[in-house]
Amino acid sequence: MIVSKEKLEKYAQTVLVHFGETKENAKIVAESMVRADMRGVTTHGTYLLEVIKKRKNGQQLTLPTTVSVVYDQDAVALLDGNDGIGMVGGHKALDVAIEKARIYGIGMVLLRNTNNVGTLSTYTQKAADQGMIAFMCGNAAPSMAPWGGMEAYFGTSPFSVGIPVPGDTCYNADMAATVVARGKIRKALRQGKEIPAGWAQDENGAPTTDPAKAMKGTLFPIGGPKGSAIAMTIDIIAGLLSGSNYARSVKSFHILDGRTGLGAAFIVFDPVRFMPRKTFDKKMDGYIEDVKSVKLAEGFTEIMLPGEIEYRKEKESEKFGITIDEQQYENLKKLLVEAGCPVE
Amino acid sequence: MIVSKEKLEKYAQTVLVHFGETKENAKIVAESMVRADMRGVTTHGTYLLEVIKKRKNGQQLTLPTTVSVVYDQDAVALLDGNDGIGMVGGHKALDVAIEKARIYGIGMVLLRNTNNVGTLSTYTQKAADQGMIAFMCGNAAPSMAPWGGMEAYFGTSPFSVGIPVPGDTCYNADMAATVVARGKIRKALRQGKEIPAGWAQDENGAPTTDPAKAMKGTLFPIGGPKGSAIAMTIDIIAGLLSGSNYARSVKSFHILDGRTGLGAAFIVFDPVRFMPRKTFDKKMDGYIEDVKSVKLAEGFTEIMLPGEIEYRKEKESEKFGITIDEQQYENLKKLLVEAGCPVE
């Protein structure tokens, strides 16, 4: 199914307002979800509306979302997402961090007690669009063992960096500290295929290529102990230090098992403090041209910048409409009927 | 050879002053090098004295080291290491970042035109010892190709995080964005052993397990495109944005091929802005106890915190003395004779 950006945003907004979200908040959430769909990151797109409904009905998500300022002084602030929708708390936190970066050169905001914030790239790209360099990370429900262990303890621990670049491209790194997402293992299981060595270990802590065993076990971190240390650091800063849940106490957004208690961290700084905008733009332009001129390895046709694949996909979706899975579109239509606004 | 910390620091200081470094700077550098030796990271220990001598004689390192403040306003600053010894510029930059974190909650300092700064963990641990959470990264001479490429472009791109923890342990992540250091491949070559798949590619961009081919090729990043994005981000922030060299223009510290033009970035923030010190300490204590209680995977005897192995090694060296390779000790003795202060 192909839907236009405007229509999908309107649909999502209508559904969210029906759930009990404010119009203003619903707009932020809808834009964030639709951007994820446009970028092909459908796991963080309008599909999440179903999950939000389930959590709201199960009293494990509070609507309308309110965001409280717990602490705000100098270049740092601490916000509380009050168990509302993650995109609302996330965008508020990012805005505060950007404002602080304008005033102090760098700003840091921690957000606690929130829910799934969606794709991190939508935040760091928003900051980059305003000329800022932004770093963001968040903890997540346990799926990775600490290095040397075999019990799920850290989440996928996503982190993202956005850097402003001139021209029709983007610089937006957005990754998990695990080698792959659980979804890839689930897909291999469905297709009856083995998974490559190095993706996961079974429930007894032995490396496995059997997707069924891997699903019962834990995901491997990138670079072994390195990814484990990255995940632990993210969990401590975004979770423990923000006053949120952390480690084993973080709950999945997709299962009704109590409030998720997710935390996120935002660090934004202004590159103009270090060199004039024009110089920075010119240097970045040269950098991109140079890195793309590197001789290609076997099987590659182009050196891509971080996030460039998603950026191109987004531009395509803008032009030709957004591809939505049939089943998901049916679900969306049902939600619209419930909201009293059936699709015309 | 076993040497005491006090003696080795005195030796290194004497040699550095003879090279033309000031007494005050020599103390900083000596302490940093000896701490690396104590932690078993001998590649960044007193071994570097030889390299500094070579670079100084080749007019590619300027002594005494001076550090200029290019910009210092609000929570950010930019320093210039004027091609002197990296540890001097590095520690000055860290001190400024810590001071800013005290005043503003978070501080950021970029350092340009420096040389090899030694082990990053000595900096982030110093900040943690003062109660701060610190992040540091630096660019390095090309050894990794951008993902999809086959030419050396990024350095190993080291980064480190230090977090204050109570009790007789440490939290100090210190890693490169490559799967392994080049030294490990060199070692396999010497021993006539194959290297594991996933470490490196040959000069034609094909993955290899032959250490000889790997030495002519490039190191693989952790997590494929993820590590490549981490390296690119570090190169842009520590190198390009600081006004230092970056990408292909960064030169090795170990070869006389022009000034290295290395850059480094420091971000320090004060956890006390987010929760009282006592609460944070108590939570970190619980976190450490909990993560160490995770069931062990095959072949492991303990879950280690980031940097804990090096921390224990350092304590051991403090107690029993520092183990120095015989050949390196001979070199050090020669340097001391040249300085007019032979070993008693």
Side-chain angles (χ1 to χ4, degrees):
Chain A
M1 185 66 202
I2 309 278
V3 199
S4 75
K5 180 185 170 185
E6 292 68 31
K7 267 198 181 165
L8 196 57
E9 275 180 2
K10 207 188 93 192
Y11 293 164
Q13 216 176 318
T14 304
V15 170
L16 287 158
V17 169
H18 175 69
F19 287 168
E21 190 52 283
T22 66
K23 248 188 155 171
E24 199 193 344
N25 287 350
K27 191 170 182 290
I28 295 168
V29 181
E31 280 173 4
S32 190
M33 285 178 173
V34 171
R35 197 162 187 190
D37 277 332
M38 290 172 77
R39 294 166 75 89
V41 192
T42 53
T43 47
H44 291 73
T46 46
Y47 146 78
L48 287 178
L49 290 169
E50 276 289 334
V51 187
I52 289 172
K53 181 187 164 187
K54 193 169 73 176
R55 292 197 79 78
K56 195 225 149 192
N57 290 344
Q59 264 115 45
Q60 294 181 4
L61 185 141
T62 310
L63 289 179
T65 307
T66 56
V67 184
S68 348
V69 179
V70 182
Y71 172 90
D72 184 346
Q73 201 169 340
D74 307 319
V76 292
L78 171 62
L79 305 187
D80 196 310
N82 297 311
D83 298 323
I85 298 181
M87 289 84 159
V88 179
H91 280 282
K92 172 77 181 156
L94 178 79
D95 291 345
V96 174
I98 291 174
E99 198 192 327
K100 292 198 173 290
R102 281 225 174 84
I103 300 170
Y104 299 101
I106 186 166
M108 175 176 184
V109 178
L110 295 185
L111 170 66
R112 73 185 184 195
N113 300 329
T114 190
N115 279 294
N116 189 321
V117 290
T119 35
L120 271 48
S121 61
T122 56
Y123 300 87
T124 50
Q125 188 56 51
K126 184 180 167 188
D129 289 344
Q130 295 180 42
M132 295 289 173
I133 296 181
F135 170 81
M136 181 187 174
C137 63
N139 64 359
S143 62
M144 182 208 295
W147 189 246
M150 63 185 220
E151 289 174 86
Y153 197 86
F154 308 125
T156 46
S157 311
F159 58 104
S160 173
V161 177
I163 299 178
V165 290
D168 185 28
T169 186
C170 82
Y171 187 102
N172 196 288
D174 185 358
M175 62 191 97
T178 50
V179 176
V180 291
R182 226 172 172 76
K184 283 206 178 176
I185 297 175
R186 221 176 273 126
K187 196 176 166 189
L189 185 64
R190 277 199 308 270
Q191 298 177 336
K193 284 183 187 166
E194 282 210 329
I195 56 168
W199 279 17
Q201 61 185 353
D202 67 20
E203 58 185 329
N204 300 314
T208 183
T209 56
D210 178 343
K213 285 185 179 171
M215 282 306 292
K216 285 184 198 153
T218 56
L219 300 170
F220 271 134
I222 54 169
K226 298 182 183 192
S228 174
I230 291 173
M232 208 188 297
T233 302
I234 289 173
D235 196 30
I236 290 169
I237 295 171
L240 184 149
L241 186 60
S242 75
S244 238
N245 287 356
Y246 51 93
R248 304 190 222 236
S249 69
V250 181
K251 302 290 183 192
S252 167
F253 188 60
H254 302 265
I255 303 160
L256 289 186
D257 190 22
R259 52 186 286 276
T260 62
L262 285 173
F266 304 75
I267 293 176
V268 179
F269 62 91
D270 191 350
V272 166
R273 296 287 186 135
F274 301 103
M275 61 174 55
R277 176 70 62 189
K278 272 195 178 169
T279 315
F280 183 62
D281 281 352
K282 209 181 148 191
K283 278 185 177 240
M284 283 304 296
D285 216 27
Y287 198 97
I288 293 169
E289 200 187 317
D290 189 46
V291 79
K292 282 186 175 280
S293 76
V294 167
K295 265 189 239 159
L296 297 172
E298 282 181 10
F300 287 87
T301 54
E302 187 180 350
I303 309 269
M304 303 297 268
L305 295 177
E308 205 173 22
I309 294 173
E310 292 79 9
Y311 175 86
R312 289 184 190 169
K313 179 101 186 142
E314 187 181 334
K315 294 287 142 183
E316 225 174 74
S317 299
E318 204 155 353
K319 219 170 160 181
F320 305 110
I322 308 161
T323 307
I324 298 281
D325 177 270
E326 291 298 332
Q327 182 56 52
Q328 201 205 308
Y329 194 67
E330 287 307 312
N331 291 343
L332 183 60
K333 282 206 289 190
K334 267 183 222 155
L335 291 174
L336 280 161
V337 169
E338 285 167 25
C341 291
V343 176
E344 63 271 17
Chain B
M1 187 65 202
I2 309 276
V3 198
S4 75
K5 181 185 171 186
E6 293 66 32
K7 266 200 181 165
L8 196 57
E9 276 180 1
K10 207 187 92 191
Y11 292 164
Q13 216 176 319
T14 303
V15 170
L16 286 159
V17 169
H18 175 69
F19 287 169
E21 191 53 283
T22 67
K23 249 188 154 171
E24 199 194 342
N25 287 349
K27 191 169 182 289
I28 295 168
V29 180
E31 279 173 5
S32 189
M33 285 178 174
V34 171
R35 197 161 187 191
D37 277 332
M38 290 172 77
R39 295 168 75 89
V41 192
T42 52
T43 47
H44 291 73
T46 46
Y47 146 77
L48 286 178
L49 289 169
E50 276 289 333
V51 188
I52 289 172
K53 180 187 164 187
K54 193 169 73 174
R55 292 197 78 79
K56 194 226 150 194
N57 291 344
Q59 264 115 49
Q60 295 182 2
L61 186 142
T62 310
L63 289 179
T65 306
T66 56
V67 183
S68 349
V69 179
V70 182
Y71 173 90
D72 184 346
Q73 201 169 339
D74 306 319
V76 292
L78 171 62
L79 305 187
D80 195 310
N82 297 311
D83 298 322
I85 298 180
M87 289 84 159
V88 179
H91 280 281
K92 172 76 182 158
L94 178 79
D95 291 345
V96 174
I98 291 174
E99 199 192 327
K100 290 196 174 292
R102 281 224 174 85
I103 300 171
Y104 299 101
I106 185 167
M108 175 176 184
V109 178
L110 295 185
L111 170 66
R112 72 184 185 198
N113 300 327
T114 190
N115 278 295
N116 189 320
V117 289
T119 36
L120 270 49
S121 60
T122 56
Y123 300 87
T124 50
Q125 189 55 51
K126 184 180 167 188
D129 289 344
Q130 296 180 41
M132 296 289 174
I133 296 181
F135 170 81
M136 181 187 174
C137 63
N139 64 358
S143 62
M144 181 207 296
W147 188 247
M150 62 185 220
E151 289 173 87
Y153 196 86
F154 309 125
T156 46
S157 311
F159 58 104
S160 173
V161 177
I163 298 178
V165 290
D168 185 26
T169 185
C170 83
Y171 188 102
N172 197 288
D174 186 357
M175 63 191 97
T178 50
V179 176
V180 290
R182 224 172 174 76
K184 283 207 178 174
I185 297 175
R186 222 177 273 126
K187 196 177 167 191
L189 185 63
R190 276 199 308 269
Q191 298 177 334
K193 283 183 188 165
E194 281 210 332
I195 56 168
W199 278 18
Q201 61 186 354
D202 67 19
E203 59 185 327
N204 299 315
T208 184
T209 56
D210 178 343
K213 284 184 179 171
M215 284 304 294
K216 285 183 198 153
T218 56
L219 300 171
F220 272 133
I222 54 168
K226 298 182 183 193
S228 175
I230 291 172
M232 208 188 299
T233 302
I234 289 173
D235 196 30
I236 290 170
I237 295 171
L240 185 149
L241 186 61
S242 74
S244 238
N245 287 355
Y246 52 92
R248 305 190 221 236
S249 70
V250 180
K251 302 291 182 190
S252 167
F253 188 59
H254 301 265
I255 302 161
L256 289 185
D257 190 24
R259 52 185 287 276
T260 63
L262 285 173
F266 303 75
I267 294 176
V268 178
F269 61 92
D270 191 350
V272 167
R273 296 287 186 136
F274 301 103
M275 60 174 55
R277 176 71 61 190
K278 272 195 179 170
T279 315
F280 182 62
D281 281 352
K282 210 181 147 193
K283 280 186 175 237
M284 283 304 297
D285 216 27
Y287 198 98
I288 293 169
E289 200 186 317
D290 189 47
V291 80
K292 282 185 175 282
S293 77
V294 167
K295 265 189 239 158
L296 296 172
E298 283 181 10
F300 288 88
T301 54
E302 187 181 351
I303 309 269
M304 303 297 267
L305 295 176
E308 206 173 22
I309 295 173
E310 292 78 10
Y311 175 85
R312 289 185 190 170
K313 178 100 188 143
E314 186 181 335
K315 293 286 141 186
E316 225 173 73
S317 298
E318 204 154 354
K319 219 169 159 181
F320 305 110
I322 308 162
T323 307
I324 297 282
D325 176 90
E326 290 298 332
Q327 182 56 52
Q328 202 205 309
Y329 194 68
E330 287 306 312
N331 291 342
L332 183 60
K333 283 207 288 189
K334 266 184 222 156
L335 290 174
L336 280 161
V337 169
E338 285 167 23
C341 292
V343 176
E344 63 271 17

